[in-house]
Amino acid sequence: MAVVKECKIALAAFFAYFCLSLALFNRSTFTSLSSIFSSIALAFLAWCISNFSPHADVAKRAAFLGCAFGCSLVLSFSQVSYRCFGWYMTSLSFFHFSEYIIMAIYNPKTLSIDSFLLNHSLEYKMAAVASWIEFGIEYYFFPNLKSYVFISYVGALLLIGGEITRKVAMITAQSNFTHLVQFHKKEGHVLVTTGIYSLFRHPSYVGWFYWSIGTQLTLCNPVCLFGYAVASWRFFKERIEYEEITLLNFFQYEYIDYQKKVGTGLPFIKGYLVSDEEIEKMK
């Protein structure tokens, strides 16, 4: 029950600050007393939710993402030349919020404050900041680099496709999906091979990989595009090989059979393949 409550608080904080950010950007908000009082009341409600709820840490993170989502959405539909940055930030804020909500619904036993993935790693944060710096520098000194709208559209499609792929994978796996590699097989843990897992062995990584590339295409960041592609590929190559060792320990022949039928889904990444000698030792 406590997890369900956390989920409700996260949703309430997210939408409260989302609506507040939209109200603040609305020109008609401050044209009448009733609009001003409504905005003040909304701001007070949002503040109370994020500071006095039983799960304030969850509420504050959800509030931050809701505000970022709302502001980015306004920027996305504006007529400014840098609106592609709004597309990127909209996708980024939704990605982190939806990670928490999906885990809360489908695998609440592993839910924690880390499920937002906001503190994923120092490298992840540095990569994000680097993309913002590159966008700012190039927009100021080389504005023509940011005028290729078609590239931004392609990036936006990758953002949407990658996000959908990852969330479908999480929903399909349900309680079998976790954000961390598991070293011990838990009771009820089964090998999921149906749905999107019949197309890719690691669809959540496939979605995240192409989503990360899409972020830089959307921003028309040539330097970070190359850096993200290389760094993401190396990260997922190591992660998949590491994870498949544990999966082979958990499911043995069942997973070997699955490997023979379905690829990882990522280019030039085969995963951890067991040799014939190792198979013989397992018998």
Side-chain angles (χ1 to χ4, degrees):
M1 185 63 68
V3 169
V4 175
K5 191 173 185 180
E6 285 182 41
C7 184
K8 291 179 179 178
I9 289 172
L11 286 168
F14 180 88
F15 283 108
Y17 275 82
F18 167 68
C19 293
L20 177 62
S21 61
L22 292 184
L24 293 176
F25 278 101
N26 191 342
R27 292 181 179 179
S28 63
T29 298
F30 304 103
T31 57
S32 66
L33 278 177
S34 60
S35 298
I36 292 173
F37 284 127
S38 296
S39 298
I40 293 174
L42 179 60
F44 180 72
L45 173 63
W47 181 75
C48 287
I49 291 173
S50 61
N51 287 277
F52 297 105
S53 63
H55 302 282
D57 288 341
V58 172
K60 286 177 181 177
R61 285 163 175 77
F64 167 72
L65 292 171
C67 184
F69 184 76
C71 295
S72 302
L73 204 61
V74 172
L75 180 59
S76 298
F77 288 97
S78 66
Q79 298 302 313
V80 296
S81 57
Y82 51 88
R83 62 181 177 276
C84 61
F85 192 81
W87 305 350
Y88 158 77
M89 287 301 297
T90 299
S91 175
L92 184 65
S93 53
F94 180 80
F95 171 82
H96 285 285
F97 180 70
S98 60
E99 287 288 312
Y100 183 87
I101 296 301
I102 294 295
M103 291 301 290
I105 296 172
Y106 292 98
N107 195 2
K109 289 183 179 180
T110 64
L111 186 70
S112 71
I113 198 71
D114 294 331
S115 297
F116 282 108
L117 297 184
L118 288 170
N119 56 343
H120 180 271
S121 65
L122 177 62
E123 292 80 6
Y124 181 79
K125 295 174 182 176
M126 289 174 63
V129 173
S131 71
W132 305 340
I133 293 172
E134 181 185 350
F135 182 84
I137 291 174
E138 290 173 353
Y139 182 81
Y140 186 81
F141 291 103
F142 312 104
N144 289 336
L145 272 177
K146 308 303 178 185
S147 62
Y148 299 103
V149 181
F150 175 75
I151 294 177
S152 292
Y153 285 150
V154 172
L157 288 175
L158 278 178
L159 288 177
I160 296 169
E163 178 72 24
I164 291 173
T165 300
R166 179 169 172 83
K167 294 311 183 286
V168 168
M170 294 173 69
I171 293 170
T172 302
Q174 297 191 13
S175 63
N176 300 290
F177 181 92
T178 59
H179 280 136
L180 300 174
V181 175
Q182 302 298 299
F183 299 102
H184 303 285
K185 186 179 179 182
K186 295 182 178 179
E187 185 179 351
H189 187 184
V190 298
L191 179 62
V192 180
T193 60
T194 58
I196 197 168
Y197 285 86
S198 65
L199 303 175
F200 319 117
R201 291 206 305 271
H202 299 277
S204 66
Y205 296 158
V206 171
W208 199 345
F209 175 75
Y210 286 106
W211 177 86
S212 68
I213 292 175
T215 61
Q216 301 313 300
L217 279 174
T218 300
L219 295 175
C220 293
N221 279 354
V223 177
C224 280
L225 173 61
F226 177 78
Y228 270 52
V230 172
S232 296
W233 187 87
R234 286 181 175 175
F235 172 80
F236 287 120
K237 183 179 184 298
E238 293 178 5
R239 176 79 174 231
I240 286 172
E241 290 178 354
Y242 188 57
E243 185 172 315
E244 290 202 331
I245 291 174
T246 66
L247 291 170
L248 284 163
N249 288 328
F250 292 168
F251 303 107
Q252 298 187 349
Y253 289 110
E254 186 181 2
Y255 195 77
I256 292 172
D257 207 41
Y258 179 49
Q259 285 181 311
K260 293 177 180 178
K261 296 176 182 177
V262 182
T264 63
L266 290 168
F268 310 110
I269 297 179
K270 295 182 179 180
Y272 186 87
L273 301 178
V274 180
S275 66
D276 293 335
E277 292 180 358
E278 289 175 299
I279 295 175
E280 286 297 323
K281 291 179 181 179
M282 292 171 62
K283 291 181 179 179

